[in-house]
């Protein structure tokens, strides 16, 4: 037969272990939440940088394919200039 004195320390120990486990889980959740927030911030910044870079590449691609601007002597030889 167990005495009451033997059961009490085990209950206290189990309660302390459960409390420690809850505290650990709470700290892990805080860490995960903070890590997720920081990773998302970096990802958003990287996405913005990539988006801007793609826009510049597209602008340059289109600009490189445009015909060169006409110089003033060339402009006077165009159909629009001759009709004036």
């Amino acid at each position: 037969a167990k005495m009451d004195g033997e059961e009490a320390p085990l209950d206290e120990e189990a309660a302390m272990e459960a409390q420690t486990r809850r505290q650990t889980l709470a700290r892990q959740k805080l860490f995960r939440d903070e890590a997720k927030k920081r990773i998302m911030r970096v990802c958003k910044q990287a996405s913005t940088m990539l988006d801007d870079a793609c826009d510049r590449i597209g602008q340059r691609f289109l600009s490189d394919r445009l015909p060169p601007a006409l110089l003033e002597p060339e402009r006077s030889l165009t159909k629009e200039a001759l009709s004036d």
Side-chain angles (χ1 to χ4, degrees):
K2 293 185 181 179
M3 296 174 47
D4 288 338
E6 290 178 6
E7 291 182 21
L10 292 178
D11 289 343
E12 283 181 30
E13 187 176 323
M16 287 175 56
E17 284 179 18
Q19 176 67 20
T20 302
R21 223 171 313 145
R22 284 191 296 273
Q23 289 173 343
T24 301
L25 290 173
R27 282 194 302 268
Q28 287 175 347
K29 182 177 178 357
L30 285 172
F31 175 81
R32 280 193 305 272
D33 291 347
E34 183 66 24
K36 182 179 179 180
K37 184 172 71 174
R38 290 177 184 218
I39 289 169
M40 289 304 294
R41 188 181 321 140
V42 170
C43 290
K44 286 179 183 176
Q45 185 176 3
S47 176
T48 300
M49 292 168 69
L50 284 171
D51 192 39
D52 293 344
C54 288
D55 287 346
R56 278 183 263 137
I57 290 170
Q59 287 172 342
R60 184 171 177 190
F61 177 82
L62 292 174
S63 159
D64 289 348
R65 273 129 193 92
L66 291 174
L70 295 176
L71 299 174
E72 197 56 46
E74 295 170 324
R75 194 171 298 153
S76 66
L77 301 174
T78 64
K79 182 178 175 183
E80 287 94 14
L82 293 176
S83 67
D84 287 342

